[in-house]
Every structure is written in C-alpha cells, then in structure tokens.
Amino acid sequence: MWDHEIKAMASSHALIASSLFLATVVPAVLVQGFSVYGTHLLWLYSVSGTVSLVNISVFWLLGVSPPTKKHSLGYKLSRLFRSCIYFLLSCLFYHTVVVLYGAPLIESALETFSLAVLLTSLTTLRCLCVLGPNVQAWIRVFSRHGAMSVWDTSLQITVACTVVGAWVGAFPIPLDWDRPWQVWPVSCSLGSVIGFLTGLVAAPAWIHYHRKQLTYKCK
Amino acid sequence: MKVRSSVFASFILIFEVIGVALFLRGFFPVPVKSSFSSKSKLSDQPAEPLTGGSHNSSRPPQPLFKRVVLMLVDALREDFVFGPNGRKYMPYTRHLVERGSTHSFVAKARAPTVTMPRIKALTTGSIPGFIDVVMNLNSPALLEDNLIWQAKTAGKRIVFYGDDTWVRLFPKHFMEYDGTTSFFVSDYTEVDNNVTRHLDSTLKRDDWDILILHYLGLDHIGHVSGPYSSPIQPKLLEMDDILKKIHGSLISKEAEGSLPYLLVLCGDHGMSETGSHGGSSEPEVNTPLVLLSPAFRRKVGMEQPGVVEQVDLTPTLALGLGLPISQNSVGRVIPGVLEESPLRDQLRFLHLNGHQLSCLLRDSIPEHEKVSGFEQFRVAEKSHGSWVKLYLEGNTSEVLTNMGKKVLKQYLEALAAMSSALSKQLGKYDMYSMIAGMLLVVLLLAMPEALSGAAEVDLPVLPALLSLPFYLLCLLLASVHVLVCTSAESSCYFCSLSWGLVFAAVAFSSAMFCILVSMATSRLLFTNPADLSSGSEWALSELDVLLLAGTAGHTFSLAASSFVEEEHQTWYFLLNTLCLAVFQDVCRKYFRERSTSGDEEEHLLPSKDCHPSVHPQAEVCSERWLALATPPLTLACCRLLRSLNQTGVQWAHLPDMGHWLNSSEHKMVLSLLAALSLTLIYFLIQRRCSWVSKIALALGLLGVYSYRAAVGNVLFPWQHAGRNVSKGTVEARFVYVFVLGILFTGTKDLLRSQIITADARLKSRGLWEIYSGLVLLVSLLFRAHNLPVLCCCLLIQTLMAQFIWKKLHYDAAQTTIMHYWFGQAFFYFQGNSNNIGTVDISVGFVGLESYVEAPAIFLTALSTYAGPLLWACHLICYLSSETDRSPVAVGHGCYCLALLRSVPAAAYIVLVTVLRYHLFIWSVFSPKLLYESMHTLLTAGVCLFFSTMEQSHSSSKS
C-alpha cells in the first residue's frame, strides 16, 4: 500500500544512520586524541549536530511536514522561532528528568545538559521536522492509536527506542567494574544512540511486516 | 476446604519464615573448631624436633616479654596513624613509628567489622562466624579457648578498663576491671575519661602483668559525625597523649636484666567514609598495629608498614608471653617480633605455631593431606630436627646458620599456607539444612491464583492427603533424611532435630506440595478453554508492564554484588520511572477528555481554560490540576529525600544533606526543619482522627520535639544556653504514653466496629488511629534530620490516595505493588543500606535508662523498617476504605503483598546458595540475607493483621 513511503523511509533512515557513523569516524581522523570515551562531550555534540542537520535536510527535501496554509515569510519565521523555543524547552525538560533520576544537580551539570541536548536532537527534533511546532499533533501522535501516517508510526518507534535506550543505559552505572564507559553520562548517551539506531532499523521493518494490519484514519 | 485468600497468604508467609530460618541455620557456618572441647595446655606442647636424638626437650620456650599493655582504640583507622594526617593526629605515635624501636603493621580485620566479633577474633585467634553479629548486643561469656583464659591459667594478673563487652565475655578473668557501656553513642568524652582515670594509679603499681585498655570515644565520634569531622583530631591527640603517658611510665619502670615490656596499639576495626562500620570496605578493614618494645630494633625512618591479619596478633602475644596458643587460632606468628631472639628460639616458636595449626587443620578438614602447607610443615619439621641435632653437636659453622635460615623460610611458607587454608575453611556450609529450607521456601512460590483477585482459595486437603503421591513423597523424603543423616560425617542441624519433629515436617511439606500441585493443575485445566477468549481482553497497560518488569528486574539484579550494595539506586530508579508512568496515565486521562475542544495552546496555559468555565466546574478543574501536579511533586520529593542520606558503598562518602544538617553550625536550620516537619505531620495525619486522638497527637508531637531538644539535637526556643544534655528519658516516656493512648483508642474503635455496630466509618477511623499512633512512635525514633522523610511519606500518601489511586481506578494489585515500591524506596531514603553498619542501634535506648533486650530489639526493628511498615499500614487503611468499590480488595492486596515479598526472598535464597563461594558472600550477600529474612518476618506480621481486618470486614457484612 505504502511501498513507496516505506522505501523512502528506509533510505532516509539509512542516510541518518550512516551520518551517525560518519560523525564518529570523521572527527577521529581530523581531531587529535579524539575518542568516544575520552572526549565524550565532543563526540556527543558532533553526533547530535550531524543528526540534526541530516534530519532537517532529509525531511525538508522529502517534504513530509504538513503543508502550511500560509506561505508568508513572517509565518515561516515564527514557526522557526517556535521550533527553536521548543527545542530549548525540550532540552530543559530532559535535563530536569535526568536530574530527577538522580544526576548530580550542580557538579556535572554540563554533562547532564549535553545528554539532554543529545536526547532532544534524537527525539524532539524529529518530531519538529515531521509534525512541526504543533503540540496538539504531538499529543495525538503519542496517545494510543493516534498515528495517522507511516511517518507517525516511525516517529513513535524511534522516540520510544531512544528513550528506552537511555533508560537501559543507566543500568551499568552502579556496577563496580571501573570501566571508562561507566562514567556519567557515557553509558546513557551510548544507550540512547544505540536505541536510536535500533529504532531506525526497526521502524521500517516493523511497518513493512505489519502493513496488512495497519489502518490509518484519513487526515 | 475453603480458606480466605488473606489467611492463606499469611499462612504461607509464616511457613516461609520457618523455611528461611532453617536456611539461615544451615547457611551461617559454625566456626572452625578443633574436635576436642578442652583447651590447650602447656604440657600438651610438642617437644622440640630432634632427629635420632634420645632426649628431646619439651621445655616451653622462654617468654619474650614480662608485661604487656594492649591499648585498643575502637574504630582506629589505619590512615589515622600511618596516613598523611598521622603526623598531625598522633604526633608521638608517629614519631615512635618512624624513629623508635617499633614494628608497625596494617592489620586486616575480617568482616563483620563489629566490635564483639573482633574482640573474639583478637583473643581466640579464630574468625568468628557471621552470626556473632546478631549476638553482638547480648554477649554471653566466651567459652572457647582464648588468650585471656590461658593467661589467667598461667597465673598472669590481668587488669582491664574499657568497653564492658570484655567484662561480659571474660567474667572473673580480670584481677581488676571497670567496664563502660558503649550504648550512648552521643557521649564521647565520658566513656574515655572512665578508662583514663584509672591509668595513673595502675601504672604506678607493679602487681599486674597484662593491662588491657579499650577506648570507645573515637568510634562514637565516627558514628555521630564521621571520620573527617572536627572532634576527630582532639580525640586522636588525647589517645596519643595516653600512649605517651603509658610509654613513659613503662620506660621508667624498666629494670636491668629483666625481660622487656611490650606495648601494643591497635584498633578492632576501621571506620568507613561515613563513619560507620560492619562491612568490608578498605577503610573499615584496615587497622593499624603498632608493637613497641625495647627488644626491637630501632627504626631509622618511615617504612611502608607490612600487612598482617588481625588474628596474627593472638599467637604472637601467646608466644611472647610464653603461653600455649589457643586451640582454634588460625593466625600465624608475626616473624618481625621474633627477629632479635636466637635462631633456635625462633625456630621453636614457629614450630609451636605450626604444630597448633596442623592439629587444627587435621581436625577441621577431612582431606587435610591435600593442603600444601601440611606437607610443607612436615618437611620443615624434619629439617628442623636435623638442624637441632647439628646444633646440639656444637656445630657453629656458616652452614648451620644458612640451614637454619632455610628451615625458617620453610616454616613461614608452611604457616602461611595452612593459615589461609583454614581461613577458607570457615565458609563451610550445612548444605542439607540449607537445601531443606530452600525447598520449603521455593515450594511456596507456587502460590496460584495470586493475581486473580478471588476472595477464597479452595484447598483440596482431603483428596491430597488420601492420594498416592502424598505417601510416596513422604516415604521418599523420609528415606532421603535417614540416608543423609546416617551417612554424613559432618553434623547437620536438621539431623540433630528430634525424629518426630522431622517426620511431622516431612509429612507437612509433602502435603503442601501435593495440595499446591493439584491446585495448579486444576487451575491450568479449567482455564485452558477460556484462555483463548480472554487472551485478547487481557491486555497489559504500560504501567502493568513496568510493574511486572520492575519486580522481575529487581529480583534478577540481586545476583550482582554491586546491585546488592547499591540496591537503593535500583529502587529510586524504578520509583522514578513509576512516577513518570503514572504521570503519563494522568495526562492521558485528562488530556484525552478535552482533545475534542481543539485549542492548540490550552495545555500550556492552564488558566485560560479554567476561567471562562462555569463556576461548578472550577472545582473539577482545580482537582484536575492537583492530580496533574501530584506525580511531579512526588518526583521532586523523592529527589530531595535522595540527597538527604547517601547510602550504599560507592557513593556513600559524598557529602549529603544529613551531614550538613547535623553539623553544629546548622543546628538552627535543623531545628526549624524538624519543627516544620512535625507541624506538617500533624496536619497530614489529624484529619481522619477523633478529637481525643487529635489532642494526644499534638501533645505527642510536641513531646517529640522536646525530646530532641533534651538530647541536644535541636534548639529549644526558650532554652538556657548552658543547659546540659540529658538522655531525655522523661520526654520520651511522655511520648510513649500518648502513643499507647492513641493505639488504645484505635483498637477500641476497631473492636467496637467489629463487635457492636458494624460501622465501616468507625472501622476506618480506628485503623487510621492505629496508623497515626505508629507515625507518632516513628517520629520519636527517627533522628531529627530524618523527620522530613516521614513528612514526605505522609504527604505522598495523602496526595496519591486522594488524586491518583482513587481517580484513576487502579486495582488492588497495582496499588499494592506501588505501595511496596514506595516502601522499599523509603527504607533507603531514611538512610538504611544492605550493610549491617547502618542499623541505628541507638534507637533502642530511647526512653530507657539502661539496655533492656526486648524493647531495644523491637524499637530498633521498628525504626529500621519504618518505611516499608508505614506504607504497608497505609495500604491496609486505603484498601479497607475502598471496600465499597471492590469488596475483596483487602484480601487481594494481602495476597499480592505476600507474593511480592516471597518472590525476592525465595530467589535470593537460591542465589545465595549458588553463590556461596563468591568472594563477597560474607561482606555483601550475608547482611542482605539477614535484611531479607527480617523483612519477610515483618511482612508476615503485617499480613496477619491484614487477615484479621478482612475477617472483621466479612463479619460486618454478614
């Protein structure tokens, strides 16, 4: 039914995944002493920056986001501005949640905030790209049986995988193995990136295998 | 036979407690003991080995020292003396260590690092079993062979001043003694002055041979304010001065020609980074051991102190004083002490030590021939013999010295090997009792129909008793029992029980097994056809998935020692996730309803929605916002409480708010916080009480504050500055009176509702009054900085009950699991951990003049498990107030609670059995096992209370 859309999704996801890979490899070649554990924050920002860029450009090219009624420059600018605000708010929200989970309040605030930025660029940014700064649409997509297109389903899957990945990533922190990846926030950010990659792979596959059962209400 | 499900659940929990007790009896090993119950005698000592010679002297070797002063400073950490701060803390001692004629070592204490087992270890040389911790508070006389008994028998005169544990362990052993009790932890000057005041007169006299001093002050400072607090330095300087005084007087008394003195400075255990002890972290285990004697070589500079076992002091002291080494000692003599004596004596000492160890080895290990040290000792003994022969022949060549040195080396290697083999042997288990207990516990996990919510359980007792499998199982178990008990050489506790009891247990457990199996099969058979239709309906919500996965995940996490050490992190993590999931549920409920009115921004700006609506809706609206605010508020509370007490192991040293509040500069803040918490507690608890209990509660809470003021934790507004600190007995008793009064009113209401009027309102009021009595008692027992924990507990309970559990229609099972999770998290919020060291025993003395066993144990258990108990009691109150909605809620909740407790307990018992040779079994897994069994016992009590509640409910219905 939606073979075309599934193909487009799979290729865009492959693009995002390869950009993630590049974001890890290229700085390793260019920057002296770059490593995922050692200069973790650098890696983290390189990944989140690349993913945001690729996400924005891919979804802009594909034109997935709902067509806007008005095409005035002012409206577009206000949308852009609102998107930025939402991005920032989402960073703060993730930061608060992570602190509630027990991250130190003051000591490693930078690390915690970087994790929040990573999570935001992996989850909220995709929502912004697909749905636009429209909270009502977000609530609809993330409530039960709320997906109205293939892209909504893929959004649900990737966001859930990323968040669960970050959640699972916190498990090894109390273990006394003294490994470099147990340092805050390495395991959580690794977990979220791995979860995100899993989501990228799982979303098209799941949709492909369940295409018979999936029925979407018309927009 | 039909049984109500709550009765069945509590019955099963009680049965499980018995199983756990049996398991514990088998798990905690009886320490290594030689088979003879007698004590070593001088005449039993082996002769000096001599090959081919006819006369071999069995003359005991000359003692090395005339007088010994043992100065034991409780909780003296190794770095207090040897660390970088040592020069500042104990200048004189440090000077002696660097320049004097001393030997200094780091002595490793074994877990459990608690005073009484350590004293036993120091005097008997054996490593006491873990179960000694439990006996720590009630120490009976030590009957094992020990150094003090040997010294007394040899006619040495012993003087003792210090911790009265010694006096209880060694009654009538001391020529002169003065014991001080260690239970008033907040006092750290008086306990030490009580010891020091005797010192001047004693040191002047000549009528003693051994002087033992046990100083407690440092330990008390550690418990109260930690190893980096300000009182530590003056206390250590005081200890240093005492050592200087003793050393000076010993030097002045020393006479030419007589044997030298020996002054020993040691600690019984260290102090963790938070100031407690009991576990096996490095700072708790490492204690300094400084031996001072003119017989030793003078040091020229600071050397890295060597590492010895704490028990090594025992044979060293015994040999140094010319006493026989006590029979069960696993220590080996410290070679440095002997180095100045002639080679022949050195070899003789090592031979005596080796002989004693090899005897112990032969008695305690059946395959002792395989232990490498045993054979090495044989070889060394032989070469020792030929060395003595050459020596007696008058050979004085270089060859003889070299050969002697070789023998010495052989001996030392043999001693090390035998000692470590014996220490390993201490983890020997009574597997049969363990397996019997484990089977009992695991069997009960087959509790069927736990989540079905049925009010009654049908127990097919009669058909099970008449069935063939029952008799076969009886026969099988009995034959196994006979087989095991007749064949095993080692003694099993289960075998030593009387036969009648054992067969009763066998019949009972096989009956249980048959009943449970038949129940399970009948259930499977009956539900099978229905499954297909109900399978699709029975969809789990996200919350259910989280609750089940969390319970299972926590159970699995117990297999890793780090997760046991940091169990609080697991619970905080799960609780947080639970709150977020509940938040999502709430959001879904309230936003779904209004999604019809498609305002884009409305949830960002709540007030917009509220104001235009009609007035009667305003209440609904505010309620909605309160419901939405409850989970974030709970999260914030949990985050604050989490930073109140740092527990666990890895991050326990981080500064927390509890320490900040307890430091003397912030007394004002602590007082305000305590007063605020108490006021809040009053307002949260009073709303459902009768007016009599309201007044009693208010007075009781005032009494709590004045008790804290009397003890010196908080400031009293109109208090004189110079008022001295008392024990607060009067104030605490004042509170006890009100606690009893409230409990009495509550019970009276309950009984009246049950017998006379059958009034549901009266009953729920009675329950609530009992609950508030409990809260009052707990607020008396909690330390001042923990009162916010209690306050937050009540706040969360009130909000959750009001806005979440009722409004979102969670069923009894979900509510029970949430209560259990909250209870577990609050157990850790109040500062507990899975380490014995964090149990606050000072609670046992609130309102008591002296140590009385029963109330002390009761109060300590109550305050330690306050979190889980309060949440379980709240569960009863909540579920019984919900009976209109679902009449079986109480029984169902009870069943779920029993299941929730028995799943981790049973899994943990299996895990401990599998991991019994794990490196951390004694330091990490055993304390957790004790905590688990205590928790199971308490839950059994709560479940019994549940079932009586359900009974009254059903009787009121009829």
Side-chain angles (χ1 to χ4, degrees), chain A residues 82 86 97 99-105 133-136 139 142-144 167 170-171 173-176, chain B residues 541-542 560 562-563 566 569 573 576-577 580 588 592 595 599-601 603-604 635-636 639 642 650-651:
Chain A
R82 284 230 309 265
Y86 280 17
V97 169
V99 167
L100 285 177
Y101 263 104
L105 187 63
N134 179 347
V135 179
Q136 204 55 41
I139 292 175
F142 288 105
S143 57
R144 221 174 269 166
W167 189 76
F171 286 4
I173 295 179
L175 292 171
D176 57 354
Chain B
S541 70
E542 286 97 333
S562 314
F563 280 131
E566 306 285 330
Q569 306 274 9
F573 196 75
N576 242 315
T577 315
L580 286 177
R588 187 170 278 167
R592 175 77 66 73
S595 60
D599 189 351
E600 199 179 295
E601 301 276 307
H603 84 288
L604 279 182
L635 281 169
R639 184 66 182 88
R642 180 192 180 114
Q650 279 192 56
W651 294 282

Side-chain angles (χ1 to χ4, degrees), chain A residues 48-125:
Chain A
S48 47
T50 321
V51 168
S52 331
L53 273 180
V54 173
N55 254 327
I56 291 170
S57 48
V58 160
F59 285 106
W60 188 53
L61 286 174
L62 280 176
V64 177
S65 43
T68 47
K69 290 160 212 156
K70 293 174 243 169
H71 291 276
S72 66
L73 188 67
Y75 184 71
K76 274 185 181 167
L77 272 181
S78 91
R79 271 175 70 91
L80 189 67
F81 179 67
R82 284 230 309 265
S83 299
C84 290
I85 294 283
Y86 280 17
F87 188 87
L88 211 71
L89 281 180
S90 147
C91 285
L92 287 178
F93 171 75
Y94 276 121
H95 188 95
T96 319
V97 169
V98 172
V99 167
L100 285 177
Y101 263 104
L105 187 63
I106 302 156
E107 250 168 63
S108 47
L110 180 66
E111 282 85 352
T112 311
F113 192 73
S114 310
L115 178 67
V117 168
L118 179 72
L119 282 172
T120 307
S121 55
L122 294 185
T123 58
T124 316
L125 196 83

Side-chain angles (χ1 to χ4, degrees), chain B residues 38-99:
Chain B
S38 66
K39 296 173 176 169
S40 318
K41 288 184 200 120
L42 262 184
S43 52
D44 293 344
Q45 288 203 342
E48 196 171 16
L50 175 62
T51 41
S54 52
H55 99 286
N56 44 4
S57 83
S58 65
R59 165 189 73 89
Q62 271 294 312
L64 294 174
F65 307 109
K66 181 163 165 275
R67 291 179 141 189
V68 171
V69 178
L70 180 67
M71 179 173 166
L72 195 146
V73 181
D74 213 292
L76 187 64
R77 236 159 78 151
E78 167 259 329
D79 65 329
F80 286 160
V81 180
F82 302 135
N85 277 335
R87 218 177 291 271
K88 197 172 74 191
Y89 284 155
M90 304 191 79
Y92 185 74
T93 317
R94 188 58 183 261
H95 172 76
L96 287 177
V97 164
E98 285 173 14
R99 305 262 164 222

Side-chain angles (χ1 to χ4, degrees), chain B residues 448-759:
Chain B
E449 321 179 23
L451 300 168
S452 66
E456 287 189 328
V457 181
D458 192 9
L459 290 178
V461 173
L462 217 62
L465 280 181
L466 293 176
S467 67
L468 186 63
F470 168 65
Y471 294 109
L472 285 180
L473 207 65
C474 270
L475 207 63
L476 183 75
L477 288 179
S479 57
V480 164
H481 180 75
V482 171
L483 206 69
V484 169
C485 288
T486 47
S487 68
E489 307 101 43
S490 57
S491 58
C492 303
Y493 172 71
F494 203 49
C495 292
S496 65
L497 290 175
S498 75
W499 290 93
L501 204 63
V502 167
F503 282 114
V506 161
F508 187 66
S509 54
S510 38
M512 275 301 288
F513 185 71
C514 290
I515 290 169
L516 288 176
V517 164
S518 66
M519 277 169 82
T521 48
S522 68
R523 199 174 134 73
L524 270 181
L525 288 179
F526 283 128
T527 50
N528 248 354
D531 250 356
L532 294 171
S533 58
S534 67
S536 53
E537 285 169 35
W538 199 57
L540 289 169
S541 70
E542 286 97 333
L543 192 75
D544 289 331
V545 171
L546 173 70
L547 289 175
L548 292 179
T551 309
H554 164 254
T555 309
F556 285 122
S557 80
L558 293 178
S561 64
S562 314
F563 280 131
V564 175
E565 278 174 347
E566 306 285 330
E567 200 193 343
H568 59 288
Q569 306 274 9
T570 315
W571 283 117
Y572 298 164
F573 196 75
L574 286 177
L575 194 68
N576 242 315
T577 315
L578 174 71
C579 286
L580 286 177
V582 169
F583 189 39
Q584 185 229 16
D585 258 14
V586 180
C587 284
R588 187 170 278 167
K589 176 169 187 245
Y590 287 111
F591 284 123
R592 175 77 66 73
E593 282 168 3
R594 55 155 92 186
S595 60
T596 44
S597 66
D599 189 351
E600 199 179 295
E601 301 276 307
E602 70 181 345
H603 84 288
L604 279 182
L605 298 166
S607 48
K608 255 190 195 171
D609 186 53
C610 289
H611 286 303
S613 56
V614 205
H615 254 295
Q617 278 190 354
E619 207 164 287
V620 181
C621 188
S622 73
E623 190 189 284
R624 165 189 295 174
W625 288 110
L626 274 171
L628 277 174
T630 302
L633 194 73
T634 312
L635 281 169
C637 277
C638 291
R639 184 66 182 88
L640 282 179
L641 292 183
R642 180 192 180 114
S643 52
L644 191 65
N645 288 307
Q646 287 281 358
T647 64
V649 172
Q650 279 192 56
W651 294 282
H653 58 93
L654 292 182
D656 54 19
M657 268 159 56
H659 276 98
W660 186 83
L661 286 172
N662 275 327
S663 67
S664 51
E665 305 99 81
H666 304 115
K667 210 168 179 179
M668 194 64 205
V669 184
L670 182 65
S671 315
L672 285 176
L673 193 65
L676 186 70
S677 309
L678 289 175
T679 327
L680 262 176
I681 289 171
Y682 174 72
F683 282 113
L684 286 170
I685 203 87
Q686 51 91 28
R687 65 206 155 81
R688 280 160 68 184
C689 292
S690 62
W691 61 271
V692 181
S693 339
K694 269 181 198 175
I695 294 168
L697 198 67
L699 286 174
L701 289 172
L702 266 181
V704 170
Y705 191 82
S706 54
Y707 168 74
R708 283 292 156 202
V711 173
N713 292 138
V714 294
L715 294 170
F716 216 44
W718 46 89
Q719 189 180 26
H720 306 296
R723 230 193 91 194
N724 52 349
V725 173
S726 74
K727 288 176 192 169
T729 321
V730 181
E731 287 88 346
R733 286 184 182 166
F734 176 76
V735 181
Y736 283 142
V737 168
F738 286 111
V739 170
L740 289 178
I742 294 173
L743 286 180
F744 175 74
T745 345
T747 325
K748 195 192 72 191
D749 281 0
L750 267 185
L751 286 177
R752 254 178 54 196
S753 79
Q754 199 167 337
I755 297 163
I756 305 167
T757 55
D759 181 4

